[in-house]
Amino acid sequence: MLSAQLQTYLAEMKISATELQQKQLIGFVEMLAKWNKAYNLTSVRDPEQMLIRHIMDSLTVSPYLEGQRFIDVGTGPGLPGIPLAIMNPDKQFVLLDSLGKRIRFQKQVQFELKINNITPVESRVEAYQPDNKFDGVLSRAFASIQDMLSWCHHLPTEKGIYYALKGQLNEQELQQMPAGFSLVETIVLHVPKLDEQRHLLKIAKQ
C-alpha cells in the first residue's frame, strides 16, 4: 500500500528513485510509526500521512540543494535530513537535535536501513562547533528566521546557503531579517495530497 502511494507521489513530483531508495523511504516511515508509539517523535500518527507530511514534504527540497555537506538543525526524528540523505547518497548530512531519544532513533534508522551518509549529533545548535563548515543549513519548522540565522550563523561556509522550510509566509518575519543576510530566492513547493502552503526560503550572508 505505502509502496504504491510512494511511487505515485514520486512520479507526480518527477523524482526518480531506485528500488533501494524506495525501500529505505518506506522503511523509515515504518520505523517512525513503530517508535512513535513509545517515544512520541511526531504528532503525525498515521503512516500514510507520514508519507505525505514528512517524506514528500522533505523531498520537495531535494532539487534545490547545492553542495556536498549539509546540516539539518532541529531535525527531530530526522526531517528533512534522512529522506534527503536517502535520495542524495553523494551528499553528507549532519542531523542535529538536543533530545537524546530522537538521536537514538536516528542511529537505529542508520543501522537498520544502512544509510551511510548521515551523522546524528546530540547538541544544542549554539553549542555545536563543527570542524568543517557546511554548504547548506537546513531547517524545517524550526523557530523564526531571525532565530535560525542568529543561532546558526557559525555553521555555513562563506558561500553557504540557509534553506528555511516554511508553511505560510510571514511578511513581517521576512522584513525583520537580521542585517548581513539577504533573501536569495523564495520557492513555492508543491507536496502531493497536501492542501497547505509550503515555501522554501534560500538565504545567504551578504
Side-chain angles (χ1 to χ4, degrees):
M1 183 72 179
L2 283 177
S3 306
Q5 286 171 325
L6 175 63
Q7 287 174 356
T8 303
Y9 300 152
L10 287 170
E12 200 175 312
M13 290 168 65
K14 297 185 171 55
I15 295 176
S16 60
T18 64
E19 202 172 318
L20 173 62
Q21 286 170 326
Q22 291 179 46
K23 274 188 181 157
Q24 287 174 319
L25 291 171
I26 296 296
F28 178 51
V29 170
E30 289 171 348
M31 287 185 72
L32 189 54
K34 182 175 151 193
W35 276 61
N36 206 35
K37 291 179 181 124
Y39 293 97
N40 199 24
L41 298 168
T42 166
S43 59
V44 181
R45 300 273 174 237
D46 174 46
E48 289 182 34
Q49 283 299 309
M50 285 178 181
L51 189 60
I52 296 165
R53 293 186 164 276
H54 289 332
I55 305 300
M56 307 320 295
D57 195 46
S58 296
L59 292 185
T60 53
V61 185
S62 191
Y64 305 104
L65 297 181
E66 298 167 35
Q68 293 303 310
R69 277 176 51 76
F70 296 86
I71 182 165
D72 178 10
V73 178
T75 183
L79 298 162
I82 289 176
L84 289 173
I86 289 170
M87 295 305 296
N88 295 276
D90 57 323
K91 302 182 192 304
Q92 294 295 320
F93 293 83
V94 168
L95 310 176
L96 191 74
D97 202 276
S98 59
L99 269 188
K101 66 177 182 180
R102 295 171 179 164
I103 298 299
R104 283 194 296 279
F105 170 70
Q106 292 168 27
K107 287 182 173 173
Q108 193 61 29
V109 168
Q110 182 178 29
F111 172 71
E112 283 190 32
L113 302 181
K114 299 181 172 54
I115 302 170
N116 303 319
N117 56 334
I118 58 172
T119 307
V121 175
E122 184 180 342
S123 173
R124 292 180 65 79
V125 62
E126 54 271 43
Y128 178 62
Q129 298 294 334
D131 295 332
N132 297 314
K133 306 280 188 184
F134 296 93
D135 299 317
V137 178
L138 290 152
S139 84
R140 176 180 183 263
F142 174 87
S144 65
I145 290 170
Q146 294 90 314
D147 286 346
M148 179 194 179
L149 297 175
S150 64
W151 294 345
C152 304
H153 66 91
H154 60 297
L155 296 176
T157 62
E158 269 310 300
K159 294 208 165 105
I161 297 283
Y162 295 89
Y163 298 86
L165 283 80
K166 291 283 185 184
Q168 251 180 317
L169 288 185
N170 181 333
E171 285 304 322
Q172 192 178 359
E173 191 182 10
L174 293 175
Q175 285 160 9
Q176 291 170 351
M177 197 176 297
F181 296 95
S182 63
L183 181 60
V184 178
E185 194 176 0
T186 302
I187 299 159
V188 178
L189 302 173
H190 297 286
V191 182
K193 298 275 184 265
L194 194 61
D195 193 21
E196 296 167 24
Q197 289 190 18
R198 287 287 186 272
H199 295 88
L200 173 63
L201 305 179
K202 290 173 71 174
I203 299 165
K205 291 179 184 173
Q206 287 176 328

